[in-house]
């Protein structure tokens, strides 16, 4: 349920429920009072009584216009019947003498009635025979000039008092039910909001402590559930961010460890050969030349490792722009391989081309950067092949929108579990594959992705490994 709908229902409930309860209580009270006090207090009886009183009060207008009607015997009988129906009394005076009365009033009772009706037109109370009456005093003027007064006495019965008490009781019932309903509805409404908010507060406290495994459960109204979902997504992203940060921290430590280890070997060699020269161990030109060539080679290796590290860092930060050219992929690969042939010949490794494309295909590449990719892959293949029997085959295939370049070697292969990680920086599958800085394939992946391409590896078990490159056609 939406929070807005719940709020509307809560506000409506605080009014509707007390009204329904009050109506039920009022009906029950009318029924109970009617049963306990008899038919005299029933609604039907009181309605009839009120109608008769109203009819009699309307007759008073006729009395004022034609007071002579009151002395007619037939009309007096009519009045007596009406008065009897509502337990009322009537006293008619003409020139201060009793002309007609519904009962025999004593002089004291007449005096009480006159005293109650001193103010013409007023309604006062008078008690006769332990019964209370409301007195209506009406002045009359006869045609012959005589003055008269008529006093209409209507009983004040228990219904009026009971009805007043009933109204007070019903009003109190509405007030109490309204207060109780507001308390209950407010409690339920606030609990539906505060409970999930309390859960979110606990989750926020746990996350603040660093417990990113504390999941946030969706509960409450739709808006609060949406908030829970967003916070849960935030927690997951934060957890992934922390995990990535920790991974980067591990990579940084691995970088320091790997670079320190890889640099230490050539530095140690350079230091040893320099000390040998200084100590006079290289005591002839041939040995001196060999020492210097070794120092130069180790210095080159160090320079290469530092270049790899700087290149990867720049690629990772997207600080190196690409200069794309539209090139024939086959001719370009052959030119790259031709530059690497001396290294292949030195390691007795053969290289073959297998072009399965039906026609020439062109791709957009950065000539220098893509050459680095091919060199890194070939160099990586050469490192892990047995001398004298190495073979690298380059397959060219095409699909509807891309060109596939496969560089397959016949080396020792890569375990299936290591394939997804060989393009990670500084990753080494095992101790036997610890040559180099561990950045060659990571640099290759960064460059290929900069070309909007893909690179992946396929293991052929002990028969070697294939590095697959996919580039879009141009």
């Amino acid at each position: 349920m939406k929070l807005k709908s719940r709020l509307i229902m809560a506000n409506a409930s605080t009014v509707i429920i007390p009204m329904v309860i009050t109506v039920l209580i009022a009906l029950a009270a009318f029924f109970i009072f009617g049963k306990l006090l008899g038919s005299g207090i029933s609604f039907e009886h009181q309605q009839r009584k009120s109608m008769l009183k109203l009819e009699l009060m309307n007759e008073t207008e006729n009395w004022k216009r034609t007071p002579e009607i009151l002395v007619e015997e037939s009309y007096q009988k009519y009045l007596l019947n009406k008065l009897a129906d509502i337990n009322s009394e009537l006293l008619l005076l003409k020139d201060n003498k009793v002309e007609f009365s519904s009962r025999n009033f004593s002089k004291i009772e007449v005096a009480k009635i006159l005293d109650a009706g001193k103010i013409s037109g007023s309604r006062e109370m008078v008690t006769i025979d332990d019964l209370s009456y409301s007195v209506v005093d009406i002045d009359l003027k006869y045609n012959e000039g005589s003055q008269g007064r008529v006093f209409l006495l209507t009983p004040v019965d228990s219904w009026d008092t009971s009805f007043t008490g009933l109204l007070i009781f019903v009003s109190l019932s509405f007030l109490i039910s309204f207060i109780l309903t507001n308390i209950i509805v407010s409690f339920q409404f606030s609990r539906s909001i505060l409970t999930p908010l309390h859960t979110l507060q606990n989750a926020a406290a746990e996350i603040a402590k660093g417990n990113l495994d504390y999941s946030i459960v969706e509960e409450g109204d739709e808006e609060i559930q949406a908030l829970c979902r967003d916070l849960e997504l935030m927690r997951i992203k934060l957890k992934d961010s922390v995990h990535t940060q920790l991974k980067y921290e591990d990579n940084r430590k691995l970088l320091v460890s790997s670079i320190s280890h890889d640099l230490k070997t050539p530095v140690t060699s350079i230091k040893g050969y320099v000390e040998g020269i200084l100590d006079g161990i290289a005591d002839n030109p041939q040995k001196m030349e060999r020492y210097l060539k070794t120092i130069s080679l180790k210095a080159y290796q160090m320079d290469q490792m530092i270049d790899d590290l700087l290149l990867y860092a720049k690629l990772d930060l997207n600080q190196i722009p690409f200069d794309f050219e539209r090139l024939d992929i086959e001719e370009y690969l052959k030119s790259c391989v031709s530059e690497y042939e001396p290294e292949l010949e030195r390691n007795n490794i053969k290289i073959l081309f297998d072009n399965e494309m039906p026609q020439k295909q062109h791709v957009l590449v950065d000539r220098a950067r893509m050459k680095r990719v091919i060199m890194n892959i070939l160099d990586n293949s050469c490192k892990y092949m047995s001398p004298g029997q190495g073979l690298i085959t380059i397959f060219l295939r095409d699909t509807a929108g891309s060109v596939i370049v496969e560089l397959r070697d016949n080396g020792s292969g890569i375990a299936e579990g290591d394939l997804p990680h060989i393009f990670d920086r500084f990753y080494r599958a095992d101790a036997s594959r610890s040559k180099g800085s561990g950045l060659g394939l990571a640099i290759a992946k960064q460059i290929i992705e900069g070309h909007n391409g893909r690179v992946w590896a396929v293991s052929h078990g002990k028969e070697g490994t294939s590095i697959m490159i996919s580039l879009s056609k141009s």
Side-chain angles (χ1 to χ4, degrees):
M1 181 183 292
K2 290 186 177 181
L3 186 60
K4 182 179 179 181
S5 301
R6 186 182 293 276
L7 183 61
I8 293 173
M9 289 181 61
N11 290 333
S13 299
T14 57
V15 177
I16 295 174
I17 293 176
M19 290 180 64
V20 172
I21 293 174
T22 303
V23 170
L24 293 176
I25 290 175
L27 292 174
F30 273 109
F31 178 78
I32 293 171
F33 285 155
K35 292 296 183 182
L36 292 178
L37 301 178
S39 61
I41 201 171
S42 66
F43 179 77
E44 292 81 3
H45 177 75
Q46 293 302 322
Q47 186 180 28
R48 178 174 173 274
K49 201 171 183 179
S50 297
M51 293 298 294
L52 290 173
K53 283 184 179 180
L54 181 61
E55 185 179 346
L56 188 59
M57 292 302 296
N58 289 334
E59 288 292 327
T60 59
E61 297 298 324
N62 294 329
W63 302 347
K64 292 179 181 180
R65 289 193 299 269
T66 56
E68 288 79 12
I69 194 174
L70 290 170
V71 297
E72 294 179 2
E73 185 177 352
S74 60
Y75 188 74
Q76 289 177 353
K77 289 181 179 180
Y78 166 77
L79 282 179
L80 290 174
N81 291 331
K82 291 291 184 181
L83 292 170
D85 287 337
I86 59 174
N87 299 321
S88 298
E89 305 295 344
L90 186 138
L91 175 64
L92 173 63
L93 299 179
K94 186 175 182 182
D95 294 331
N96 295 324
K97 294 181 180 180
V98 177
E99 184 73 17
F100 168 73
S101 65
S102 58
R103 55 168 288 183
N104 292 325
F105 291 103
S106 65
K107 291 182 178 181
I108 297 175
E109 291 172 343
V110 171
K112 286 183 178 180
I113 295 172
L114 289 172
D115 188 57
K118 281 182 179 180
I119 302 175
S120 180
S122 66
R123 293 194 180 192
E124 296 293 334
M125 301 290 293
V126 66
T127 302
I128 299 174
D129 294 338
D130 297 329
L131 293 177
S132 296
Y133 292 91
S134 175
V135 179
V136 178
D137 180 12
I138 303 171
D139 291 330
L140 302 176
K141 187 174 183 179
Y142 293 93
N143 292 332
E144 72 273 15
S146 300
Q147 298 294 326
R149 295 176 69 183
V150 63
F151 297 90
L152 179 63
L153 286 69
T154 56
V156 180
D157 54 24
S158 59
W159 166 257
D160 296 329
T161 305
S162 301
F163 186 73
T164 302
L166 188 60
L167 285 178
I168 294 174
F169 174 73
V170 170
S171 300
L172 288 175
S173 299
F174 176 79
L175 180 62
I176 294 172
S177 61
F178 181 79
I179 294 173
L180 291 176
T181 303
N182 271 272
I183 292 173
I184 295 172
V185 171
S186 298
F187 174 76
Q188 292 292 335
F189 180 72
S190 61
R191 188 174 68 173
S192 67
I193 297 177
L194 294 178
T195 299
L197 289 181
H198 183 67
T199 302
L200 289 176
Q201 185 180 11
N202 291 336
E206 290 294 327
I207 293 173
K209 293 176 184 177
N211 182 14
L212 297 178
D213 294 322
Y214 191 94
S215 60
I216 300 173
V217 181
E218 293 183 20
E219 56 180 338
D221 296 305
E222 291 183 14
E223 293 86 350
I224 299 179
Q225 288 182 7
L227 176 61
C228 291
R229 282 194 298 271
D230 292 340
L231 291 177
E232 176 67 5
L233 289 174
M234 182 192 72
R235 180 192 69 83
I236 293 173
K237 289 183 179 180
L238 182 59
K239 182 179 178 181
D240 292 341
S241 176
V242 171
H243 177 73
T244 303
Q245 185 178 358
L246 292 175
K247 184 178 179 181
Y248 283 158
E249 182 65 19
D250 291 339
N251 286 340
R252 186 188 65 80
K253 293 178 181 178
L254 182 60
L255 166 64
V256 174
S257 176
S258 299
I259 296 300
S260 299
H261 176 270
D262 293 338
L263 290 178
K264 185 176 182 180
T265 301
V267 168
T268 302
S269 297
I270 291 173
K271 182 179 177 181
Y273 282 107
V274 170
E275 290 177 351
I277 293 173
L278 294 175
D279 292 340
I281 297 175
D283 52 2
N284 58 66
Q286 293 79 13
K287 186 178 286 189
M288 178 69 72
E289 184 180 0
R290 182 162 56 86
Y291 274 34
L292 292 175
K293 285 183 177 180
T294 302
I295 292 171
S296 176
L297 178 62
K298 297 301 179 181
Y300 174 79
Q301 291 177 354
M302 290 174 58
D303 186 59
Q304 189 66 35
M305 284 188 285
I306 293 171
D307 285 345
D308 286 346
L309 181 62
L310 292 175
L311 176 60
Y312 182 82
K314 290 181 178 180
L315 289 170
D316 200 29
L317 295 173
N318 295 319
Q319 291 182 348
I320 296 182
F322 289 95
D323 184 16
F324 293 107
E325 299 179 52
R326 187 173 183 272
L327 301 175
D328 183 314
I329 186 63
E330 181 181 9
E331 293 181 1
Y332 174 72
L333 289 175
K334 286 181 177 179
S335 66
C336 292
V337 170
S338 64
E339 293 184 22
Y340 199 74
E341 279 182 352
E343 185 68 22
L344 296 173
E345 291 175 357
R346 187 164 49 250
N347 292 282
N348 295 319
I349 296 174
K350 295 181 180 180
I351 189 163
L352 299 176
F353 267 91
D354 187 353
N355 186 356
E356 299 177 6
M357 297 186 300
Q359 58 186 8
K360 290 181 177 293
Q361 296 292 348
H362 294 80
V363 292
L364 287 175
V365 296
D366 183 311
R367 186 187 296 270
R369 305 301 175 202
M370 188 57 68
K371 182 189 295 183
R372 184 65 178 269
V373 171
I374 302 302
M375 296 302 180
N376 284 358
I377 295 174
L378 292 176
D379 186 59
N380 196 68
S381 297
C382 292
K383 289 177 182 177
Y384 306 111
M385 286 195 294
S386 301
Q389 55 184 4
L391 176 64
I392 297 175
T393 306
I394 299 177
F395 296 94
L396 284 175
R397 307 182 187 91
D398 65 341
T399 62
S402 63
V403 173
I404 307 297
V405 180
E406 178 184 356
L407 293 94
R408 178 172 178 172
D409 62 52
N410 64 345
S412 56
I414 301 174
E416 289 290 341
D418 295 323
L419 283 177
H421 306 290
I422 65 172
F423 295 99
D424 295 344
R425 49 189 174 185
F426 314 119
Y427 182 82
R428 293 185 176 93
D430 51 57
S432 64
R433 298 177 71 89
S434 60
K435 303 175 184 178
S437 65
L439 287 172
L441 292 181
I443 291 173
K445 180 182 179 182
Q446 289 278 41
I447 293 174
I448 291 171
E449 289 180 350
H451 285 70
N452 294 320
R454 286 195 314 123
V455 61
W456 68 98
V458 177
S459 178
H460 304 289
K462 295 182 179 179
E463 296 181 1
T465 304
S466 290
I467 303 297
M468 315 289 292
I469 301 173
S470 174
L471 297 172
S472 299
K473 293 180 181 178
S474 65

